[in-house]
Amino acid sequence: MIVGFDYGSANCAVGVWLEGEVVQLALGKNSNYLPSTLYAYDRDLIAQAVYFGLPQSLKADYAKLRSSQLARAIQVRHELDLTATEQAVFVGEKAIEAYLDMPEEGFYVRSPKSFLGASGLRAEQVALFEDIVTLMMQHVKVIVDTQLQQKGLSPATHAMIGRPVNFQGIGGEQSNQQAEAILSVAAKRAGFDEVKFLFEPIAAGMDFEATLTENANVLVVDVGGGTTDCSLVKMGPSLQTKQDRSQDFYGHTGQRVGGNDLDIALAMHGFMPSFGSQSHMLDGKPMPSNIFWNAVAVNDISAQRDFYQLSTKKLIDALIKDAKQPELIKRLQVLHANQMSFQVVRQAELTKMALSDAPSHKAAIDFIEAGLTIEVTEPQFEQAIESSLDKVSQLMQQAMTSPQAQSEQVTTPDIVYITGGTARSPAIYNQIAKVYPQASVVVGDHFGSVTAGLTRTAQQAFKG
């Protein structure tokens, strides 16, 4: 069976083509989406969980590659008093629940896709991300195959997987190749026979194209959880049946700025003042800002590593003694001691979502201090994410000034098609609409358009 697989920074989704239309399969309880999160009691247990889920033909080679991790996993199970079959690694909502239950223990990763193209990853780090992605894909494939079997269909064997234009802001094509290689290895280990990749904004555009009644130059703006991607595409009813669409794709830009970055920015500028980020020392000097940024930079491996070092604990202890408002810095001390960075950023995410429907929101931070709430208004949110919004505008303009767009004399899009979960925010929508006010602005399915486009495109890609 051919599927479209949106392995997203925030959520995963899978679509199949049934009776002439895209059908999204349910990956969670009453939901078509699986949160892109993983929690393990110990990171070496991830390799063991991957091994258990591998096709039999791949187990021997994998066991050689991960011999040390698999040996360590047996020891860890003994130390943690876990049976050989007791679940020790969790994915999706269950991962979130396990983390919130024991935030100071275990290994938790949110939005692993955001790390895949990171520069300077050591071989063992690449291996770890291969295992994280593999385990998540294994989990998804089991769910998908079960539902396909219930419909009397064969298991998923071919997948069109979405990818951002650029996985990282730095590293260029080398980073993209590294990330794509990780996804390819993971998909094969999860049991897919063949995979292909498609830019996510193009996938979203291909779904939108099916609704057009005349040809148009469409600027697709996909603001996802980890990246923002823009594609300028000529599309319409007379172009849908073309086998080669390369000449219709005028320009692509992308950068690692998405919902995760907005959450972190809001956590920094909206929440961290209540942890002392804008307070002063007894001598009048301002607090060092870097420690607060590292506390919430959950998509930056080095920042989180620095924050949870012993030296940071000692620095926080010293800051409490020298602070004019030590009670604020003590909140940072609690955050550090209990490893609650993800919980703080999660509250920022919930605040962002709430501000899509209300002018202000009170975030409950009572896991830090009983009764602690932080109110954030929509203008405060817009100010906190201003630099990110500027990057989105720049990406749109870069796509419009590509060499092919200029050769076709396309200076303004006829339509701006907005998709991606983060685009639900009025602040994001308003910023996008301002850049090309003369264009018609269409808001698509915030979550399903990429999946639908991948599923549509997959039918031709694997059968053609």
Side-chain angles (χ1 to χ4, degrees), residues 91 100 124 148-149 171 207 235 320 352 366 428 434 444:
V91 173
L100 293 177
E124 60 269 26
L148 291 175
Q149 184 180 28
D207 181 55
M235 58 177 68
I320 290 173
K352 176 189 69 180
D366 49 4
I428 301 295
K434 284 179 188 176

Side-chain angles (χ1 to χ4, degrees), residues 311-358:
S311 59
T312 300
K313 177 185 181 301
K314 293 179 178 179
L315 174 59
I316 293 173
D317 292 342
L319 291 176
I320 290 173
K321 294 178 181 178
D322 296 333
K324 283 186 176 181
Q325 296 174 281
E327 69 279 6
L328 299 183
I329 310 300
K330 286 180 180 178
R331 293 171 179 169
L332 186 67
Q333 186 180 49
V334 172
L335 189 161
H336 180 276
N338 296 290
Q339 299 186 32
M340 290 178 166
S341 293
F342 281 101
Q343 286 176 266
V344 171
V345 175
R346 172 59 175 164
Q347 285 303 313
E349 180 185 19
L350 294 174
T351 299
K352 176 189 69 180
M353 294 165 62
L355 290 174
S356 296
D357 303 309

Side-chain angles (χ1 to χ4, degrees), residues 176-354:
N176 292 333
Q177 290 173 3
Q178 172 184 280
E180 207 170 276
I182 291 173
L183 290 170
S184 296
V185 167
K188 294 294 177 65
R189 288 176 179 166
F192 290 102
D193 295 337
E194 187 177 352
V195 297
K196 294 184 179 181
F197 295 92
L198 182 67
F199 285 160
E200 289 159 354
I202 290 180
M206 293 301 95
D207 181 55
F208 174 61
E209 184 177 47
T211 69
L212 293 178
T213 57
E214 59 183 27
N215 292 353
N217 295 315
V218 181
L219 179 61
V220 182
V221 184
D222 180 9
V223 190
T227 60
T228 293
D229 295 294
C230 302
S231 287
L232 178 62
V233 186
K234 185 176 181 63
M235 58 177 68
S238 68
L239 305 170
Q240 293 181 35
T241 57
K242 288 176 60 177
Q243 290 294 319
D244 183 6
R245 297 296 301 273
S246 58
Q247 295 303 309
D248 299 330
F249 304 147
Y250 292 163
H252 312 292
T253 57
Q255 191 174 342
R256 202 186 83 166
V257 52
N260 295 338
D261 300 276
L262 303 185
D263 301 338
I264 291 168
L266 180 57
M268 178 63 187
H269 299 289
F271 289 5
M272 284 298 102
S274 296
F275 290 74
S277 66
Q278 296 179 7
S279 63
H280 291 79
M281 313 287 283
L282 291 172
D283 61 7
K285 293 181 179 179
M287 283 288 167
S289 61
N290 195 53
I291 188 174
F292 297 95
W293 176 255
N294 287 347
V296 296
V298 294
N299 63 352
D300 186 325
I301 296 174
S302 61
Q304 285 284 281
R305 183 175 60 243
D306 289 347
F307 181 69
Y308 285 109
Q309 286 183 343
L310 178 60
S311 59
T312 300
K313 177 185 181 301
K314 293 179 178 179
L315 174 59
I316 293 173
D317 292 342
L319 291 176
I320 290 173
K321 294 178 181 178
D322 296 333
K324 283 186 176 181
Q325 296 174 281
E327 69 279 6
L328 299 183
I329 310 300
K330 286 180 180 178
R331 293 171 179 169
L332 186 67
Q333 186 180 49
V334 172
L335 189 161
H336 180 276
N338 296 290
Q339 299 186 32
M340 290 178 166
S341 293
F342 281 101
Q343 286 176 266
V344 171
V345 175
R346 172 59 175 164
Q347 285 303 313
E349 180 185 19
L350 294 174
T351 299
K352 176 189 69 180
M353 294 165 62

Side-chain angles (χ1 to χ4, degrees), residues 35-39 90-102 108 346:
S36 297
T37 55
L38 178 143
Y39 179 88
F90 307 87
V91 173
E93 289 289 353
K94 290 185 177 179
I96 297 173
E97 292 171 5
Y99 166 71
L100 293 177
D101 187 45
M102 296 184 294
Y108 180 71
R346 172 59 175 164

